[in-house]
Amino acid sequence: MLLGPLADLLCRSALFVPGADLRKLERAAQAAADALIFDLEDAVAPTHKDLARRQVCEALAGASAGLRLVRVNGLDTAWGADDVEAVAQAGADGIVLPKCEQAAQLKAVVELLGSAPVKLIALIETPAGVLDLGALGNGGGRLLGLAFGHADFCRAAGLAQLRSDIGLAYHARCQVVLAARARGLAALDCVCLDVRDEEAFRADAVLGRDLGYDGKLCIHPAQVAIANSIYTPAPEAVVRARSVVDAWAQAQRDGLGVIAVDGEMVDAPVAAVQARVLERARRAGLVG
């Protein structure tokens, strides 16, 4: 499934699906998320870890659409190593590694994977993980993206509120997307805990998009369509991008380094930004 970097694929929404809940596993694909994250960690009680692993492995075999990711338990737990080996054998596209803080954690997962063609997404959920982003490495070339988990971050930082739009958590949210951009990795924004408040989710998703994230972690199927909409370029943005890209292509043929399109200056960086908008629209099926 993963033929190139995750940043080259459409991942506007990534829906967490509790591994121990068979009904949710069976219905997950109906949410139309770009990625499913079958969860073996926080969403599963210790007494149900083995059951969840078996059910997720069965679900991986039946899930054919979108990215099939699994959040495993940490390798410092009794279940982590077995999780990695089992879901890799079951055909997972990628593993989401929770509470990732060091390159050594990624290396340990890579060693367990062996030759299995499974990629990695590092979930940054602690102050230590944020501070060590620069030293995280590339996971042996398997690291495809970074994701931010603000709830665990707030807990670990001793913050009084589980909010990612203020204070230290907001700073960390910015640092994660900045680190992803510096490495050419995909960036997945944190969840919104207000599962019944669509406007709160929409506002949070817009903030993440404007910070530079590629998509949103979702914890309820109702959030998926909103995330997909927000992370899909608007029709007017697609028209603008096409106009700029076409004009810039002509400028290159004419030997020009700077042009004006509808009264706005366009040079190479501006054209590149608009080309990325057009590419996202193509992946979303808006243009040919």
Side-chain angles (χ1 to χ4, degrees):
M1 176 79 188
L2 291 173
L3 301 179
L6 185 58
D8 289 340
L9 298 173
L10 194 66
C11 195
R12 301 163 297 180
S13 57
L15 176 64
F16 280 106
V17 186
D21 192 322
L22 186 58
R23 184 180 67 87
K24 290 182 178 179
L25 287 170
E26 292 173 343
R27 299 177 60 181
Q30 298 175 18
D34 289 334
L36 296 177
I37 304 178
F38 299 113
D39 195 6
L40 298 177
E41 196 218 13
D42 282 350
V44 180
T47 54
H48 291 150
K49 293 291 188 181
D50 292 337
L51 169 66
R53 186 189 304 125
R54 291 195 301 271
Q55 292 186 164
V56 163
C57 288
E58 293 173 0
L60 285 168
S64 58
L67 293 170
R68 300 168 304 150
L69 310 175
V70 180
R71 177 165 69 171
V72 298
N73 290 282
L75 295 190
D76 58 345
T77 70
W79 313 283
D82 289 339
D83 287 347
V84 171
E85 293 175 346
V87 301
Q89 186 175 359
D93 293 317
I95 284 175
V96 179
L97 184 62
K99 300 173 182 64
C100 192
E101 297 178 338
Q102 311 171 358
Q105 291 171 287
L106 294 174
K107 182 179 179 182
V109 175
V110 170
E111 291 176 351
L112 285 172
L113 289 172
S115 61
V118 180
K119 306 302 183 181
L120 300 177
I121 296 175
L123 184 53
I124 310 301
E125 302 180 271
T126 65
V130 174
L131 289 179
D132 286 348
L133 278 168
L136 196 59
N138 66 359
R142 292 179 185 252
L143 186 61
L144 297 179
L146 302 178
F148 180 49
H150 81 285
D152 275 298
F153 178 90
C154 290
R155 178 190 57 79
L159 302 180
Q161 300 183 72
L162 294 176
R163 291 182 58 179
S164 60
D165 60 338
I166 59 172
L168 191 61
Y170 179 72
H171 173 74
R173 190 176 180 181
C174 295
Q175 290 300 304
V176 171
V177 70
L178 182 62
R181 286 288 164 262
R183 294 181 179 174
L185 301 171
L188 296 178
D189 193 24
C190 57
V191 303
C192 176
L193 299 175
D194 297 317
V195 294
R196 297 185 182 277
D197 190 337
E198 289 190 0
E199 289 309 310
F201 178 82
R202 184 178 300 276
D204 197 52
V206 167
L207 174 58
R209 180 200 64 191
D210 292 346
L211 286 176
Y213 280 93
D214 295 296
K216 185 77 168 165
L217 298 173
C218 301
I219 54 176
H220 192 281
Q223 297 175 336
V224 169
I226 301 173
N228 286 347
S229 174
I230 288 171
Y231 279 95
T232 298
E236 57 270 22
V238 176
V239 171
R240 169 65 179 171
R242 172 62 73 189
S243 176
V244 169
V245 168
D246 289 347
W248 183 247
Q250 183 60 50
Q252 297 305 286
R253 291 191 290 269
D254 295 340
L256 302 176
V258 179
I259 60 173
V261 177
D262 298 330
E264 294 185 17
M265 186 205 78
V266 173
D267 59 4
V270 174
V273 169
Q274 294 302 318
R276 186 168 186 265
V277 172
L278 205 58
E279 177 62 16
R280 285 188 66 82
R282 183 190 67 77
R283 294 174 194 156
L286 299 182
V287 297

